[in-house]
Amino acid sequence: MPEITQSPLPTSTKPTHFVRRAGDEPPVQEAPIRAKRRPQYGQIVTGFVAIALLVLFIQSQAQNPNMEWNVTWEYMFNPVVLQGVGVTIQLAIFAMLISIVLAFGIALMIQSNNKVVSVIGRAYVWFFRGVPMLVQVLLWFNLAVLFPVILGQDTNTLISGFTAGLIALSLAESGYMAEIIRGGIISVPTGQTDAGVSIGLTRNQALARIVLPQSIRVIIPPTGNQFIGMLKATSLVSVIGGSDLLTRVQLIYGQNFKILPLLIVGVLWYLILVTIAGTGQHFLERRFNASQPGSRRSPKSTGTAKTTNIRTIIGGALWRK
Amino acid sequence: MAQVAPAVTSTDTMLRIDGVHKWLGHNHVLRGVDIEVRTGEIVCILGPSGSGKSTLLRCINHLDPVDGGVIEVNGERVGYQLHDGQLYEQSERRVAKARQHIGMVFQHFNLFGHMTALDNVTYGPARILGRPRKEAVANARQLLAKVGLADKDDSYPSQLSGGQQQRVAIARALAMEPRLMMFDEPTSALDPELVGEVLQTMRQVAEEGMTMIVVTHEIGFAREVADRVVFMDQGRVLEDGPARDVLDNPQHERTASFLSRVH
């Protein structure tokens, strides 16, 4: 068996000790070797195919006599349609606002130490998230069957299609929003509560003043998403004559039987609304995305902490990363 | 361990922990802990992780409830009141009031993320103690200057290094004019380079006569600053004595083996 001898390291393998000295910068290369990325051939090919298909489709539809584009353009800015667009926007905004207010309450109930209150909150979410929105819309519209008179008034005159739709959309949405808000609350580290409590806040005060303001940045992006969903969900109220965009479009084609051109009017308006909301959503996400630390301005001097009050409540969402 | 609780609590006792037990689930985390801290004393608590040091601190200001035993800060029970020989938990409001004057510094700083450094320090005095805003702000600026961060008033926590955040956290606790300051592994989450600046700030606080309990792994700090060192393991106090005695001449074999490995 050969004997293993430990030979001393040859001098050449002794690690060198490099120290960067001032003025010891590497020379800038006159013509560095450029490294080019491989061209995306697949992308170029699919691009051509996609454009070709799109052109073919548009061409075929533009020439399709059954589409009657002139009818579509004629009704696009018809006052009745425009009113419907207005109603749809109102429904979406009001339903969203109401649902957010409700959802904050429900989320706090679920997070409460009071077990009974917590279970009630969970039951609420279970019901309003569980029953399909369309069914809820129908339920509220037919409330008169259960309660013919509310507050001394005839239920059917009190609750119009719009009101029934608004109530149904708000309640159904609040179930989802409650879960989003609860997720936001949970996302704030428990150390924040510990710190708030350690300087003398009660647990509820710490939740309201320390945790909630910080949860808003997590809550806002999905809320934008929900709003886009809500814009489309408003079309459900057409089943009870909610006078929204779809209701009006249906009303018109019920008279002139130009079904497809008028549905296209609806399609275009919904796409316009969703695109506008989506753009807003994009900017909101840019602002609140925690993974983009460089996206915000550095703080400018704001003098004293006089604004703390407002800042901690509303502006909690707007602090710079 | 020869630890005899004094029969009569002397008037200068800042903290008295007497026979405290604590369970977390089935885990008996604190098994009868007795510690007494005199006013102005600086006590370092050492021990392996899981020995109950941090839990003990959280029990002192009732962040976690105890399951038995008594904790008194400045002669007042924290979180409980005695009634017919039984201890009853106090209302959230009373507990919050009691916590106002027990400062706590956390391992992960826990600065309020939506407030600037200045607002973090101002918040307690202005919103909880009800001090006039101007006075609170002026005081907060002084405290920030003291911890060496006068120029960081308007910075948000995420714009500060770990060491800077921890120094703001110390200022935030000091702003409440605490009678007792508790530090829960204040340098454990820091880059090695930043440990020194936080220890320096703590040294400064110590020199001003603050009563301090410091849970730490910084033996050097304990040796230099602490009056007393308490060694805990498995929910018990194994050794409690003058800092140099315990550190240089540990009497319990567990303390000795722990110190020999940490050094």
Side-chain angles (χ1 to χ4, degrees), chain A residues 7-311:
Chain A
S7 59
L9 285 170
T11 44
S12 61
T13 61
K14 183 182 181 255
T16 53
H17 183 173
F18 171 78
V19 180
R20 167 102 56 215
R21 310 253 177 234
D24 180 23
E25 303 305 321
V28 179
Q29 278 196 339
E30 286 288 308
I33 305 168
R34 294 281 298 273
K36 280 189 82 175
R37 294 294 303 269
R38 185 182 150 79
Q40 303 268 334
Y41 294 117
Q43 186 171 302
I44 295 165
V45 172
T46 40
F48 274 113
V49 172
I51 290 170
L53 287 176
L54 190 66
V55 168
L56 279 175
F57 178 77
I58 290 174
Q59 195 188 19
S60 71
Q61 289 316 305
Q63 291 166 354
N64 187 336
N66 297 328
M67 280 304 288
E68 298 181 83
W69 286 101
N70 56 325
V71 180
T72 299
W73 302 134
E74 187 188 321
Y75 281 99
M76 195 65 193
F77 299 99
N78 180 296
V80 177
V81 171
L82 288 182
Q83 276 168 22
V85 172
V87 171
T88 288
I89 294 172
Q90 280 175 37
L91 260 179
I93 290 176
F94 289 140
M96 208 63 207
L97 289 178
I98 295 171
S99 75
I100 288 172
V101 172
L102 289 173
F104 263 104
I106 300 300
L108 291 179
M109 283 173 73
I110 294 177
Q111 288 303 102
S112 167
N113 285 331
N114 185 330
K115 294 254 164 57
V116 180
V117 167
S118 176
V119 166
I120 293 172
R122 279 177 199 283
Y124 179 99
V125 171
W126 170 77
F127 182 84
F128 287 104
R129 213 172 52 160
V131 179
M133 261 194 192
L134 181 55
V135 178
Q136 291 192 45
V137 168
L138 291 169
L139 271 176
W140 280 98
F141 191 59
N142 293 295
L143 201 67
V145 180
L146 280 178
F147 309 100
V149 177
I150 292 177
L151 300 173
Q153 297 227 27
D154 178 37
T155 304
N156 272 335
T157 50
L158 198 67
I159 298 187
S160 64
F162 181 86
T163 326
L166 182 62
I167 295 172
L169 292 175
S170 304
L171 292 177
E173 184 61 34
S174 67
Y176 287 95
M177 282 306 302
E179 285 298 283
I180 289 172
I181 291 168
R182 203 166 69 86
I185 292 172
I186 293 171
S187 77
V188 177
T190 54
Q192 293 289 317
T193 310
D194 285 347
V197 166
S198 81
I199 59 169
L201 292 174
T202 65
R203 295 209 171 260
N204 287 338
Q205 286 172 332
L207 179 63
R209 304 195 202 167
I210 307 295
V211 174
L212 269 188
Q214 296 190 67
S215 68
I216 290 188
R217 58 162 30 191
V218 179
I219 293 170
I220 281 188
T223 303
N225 229 3
Q226 290 297 111
F227 179 67
I228 290 174
M230 176 61 83
L231 273 173
K232 295 182 293 174
T234 52
S235 63
L236 293 175
V237 306
S238 66
V239 298
I240 55 170
S243 68
D244 71 313
L245 174 57
L246 186 59
T247 310
R248 312 269 179 147
V249 164
Q250 285 178 326
L251 213 72
I252 297 170
Y253 74 57
Q255 287 165 357
N256 65 9
F257 301 108
K258 307 279 189 194
I259 297 179
L260 218 55
L262 275 151
L263 279 178
I264 296 291
V265 169
V267 166
L268 291 176
W269 271 116
Y270 281 118
L271 284 177
I272 290 169
L273 293 182
V274 166
T275 307
I276 295 170
T279 314
Q281 154 89 343
H282 174 74
F283 284 109
L284 276 180
E285 271 184 11
R286 269 243 301 246
R287 180 156 187 93
F288 291 100
N289 194 343
S291 66
Q292 291 181 316
S295 64
R296 259 167 243 124
R297 292 165 292 129
S298 63
K300 41 182 210 280
S301 191
T302 44
T304 66
K306 206 177 170 186
T307 50
T308 308
N309 237 333
I310 309 154
R311 225 192 260 162

Side-chain angles (χ1 to χ4, degrees), chain B:
Chain B
M1 184 190 63
Q3 207 212 335
V4 183
V8 184
T9 308
S10 55
T11 45
D12 66 345
T13 297
M14 179 53 73
L15 170 69
R16 191 167 71 92
I17 301 172
D18 197 357
V20 163
H21 285 263
K22 167 82 184 165
W23 274 267
L24 286 175
H26 293 294
N27 200 358
H28 198 170
V29 214
L30 297 177
R31 312 172 173 221
V33 175
D34 310 298
I35 298 175
E36 206 175 310
V37 178
R38 282 179 291 113
T39 304
E41 207 173 19
I42 291 151
V43 177
C44 277
I45 304 180
L46 307 183
S49 50
S51 57
K53 315 173 299 267
S54 294
T55 309
L56 182 65
L57 286 198
R58 293 176 63 86
C59 286
I60 290 173
N61 67 355
H62 200 60
L63 278 183
D64 283 343
V66 299
D67 290 308
V70 173
I71 296 177
E72 282 179 2
V73 175
N74 207 22
E76 287 170 35
R77 282 187 201 84
V78 183
Y80 299 90
Q81 60 197 69
L82 197 64
H83 196 73
D84 293 340
Q86 179 91 37
L87 287 174
Y88 292 94
E89 197 170 10
Q90 289 176 330
S91 73
E92 186 59 34
R93 226 157 248 290
R94 300 257 322 252
V95 181
K97 193 121 181 111
R99 285 193 194 105
Q100 287 175 3
H101 299 293
I102 307 173
M104 186 155 185
V105 174
F106 300 87
Q107 182 178 358
H108 295 288
F109 333 132
N110 299 348
L111 286 183
F112 304 136
H114 58 310
M115 298 182 196
T116 61
L118 185 68
D119 289 346
N120 262 281
V121 183
T122 315
Y123 189 86
R127 300 292 305 279
I128 300 171
L129 298 180
R131 297 278 152 78
R133 171 126 245 136
K134 262 197 184 144
E135 186 190 314
V137 169
N139 193 33
R141 282 189 198 281
Q142 259 177 22
L143 281 168
L144 282 176
K146 191 161 105 181
V147 299
L149 293 170
D151 54 333
K152 298 291 182 187
D153 285 14
D154 289 327
S155 298
Y156 284 82
S158 57
Q159 296 168 322
L160 298 173
S161 75
Q164 291 170 332
Q165 287 186 55
Q166 193 61 297
R167 286 186 280 153
V168 174
I170 292 172
R172 174 178 67 182
L174 288 176
M176 297 297 289
E177 291 159 19
R179 302 193 180 99
L180 170 70
M181 281 281 281
M182 305 195 291
F183 296 80
D184 184 9
E185 301 199 25
T187 58
S188 299
L190 294 176
D191 286 352
E193 258 188 312
L194 307 177
V195 169
E197 64 189 50
V198 170
L199 292 181
Q200 182 52 39
T201 305
M202 289 166 62
R203 228 172 259 132
Q204 233 177 301
V205 177
E207 278 162 15
E208 289 173 10
M210 178 65 70
T211 313
M212 289 166 58
I213 307 181
V214 185
V215 168
T216 186
H217 294 300
E218 297 289 332
I219 308 291
F221 177 82
R223 185 190 308 278
E224 186 197 336
V225 179
D227 299 308
R228 255 169 64 206
V229 164
V230 174
F231 181 78
M232 283 181 70
D233 188 29
Q234 297 185 349
R236 285 199 182 89
V237 173
L238 295 190
E239 205 160 338
D240 180 349
R244 278 169 201 268
D245 286 6
V246 176
L247 292 175
D248 297 333
N249 191 16
Q251 299 298 309
H252 196 285
E253 57 191 273
R254 185 72 186 87
T255 320
S257 77
F258 176 82
L259 289 172
S260 71
R261 265 171 250 164
V262 177
H263 268 292

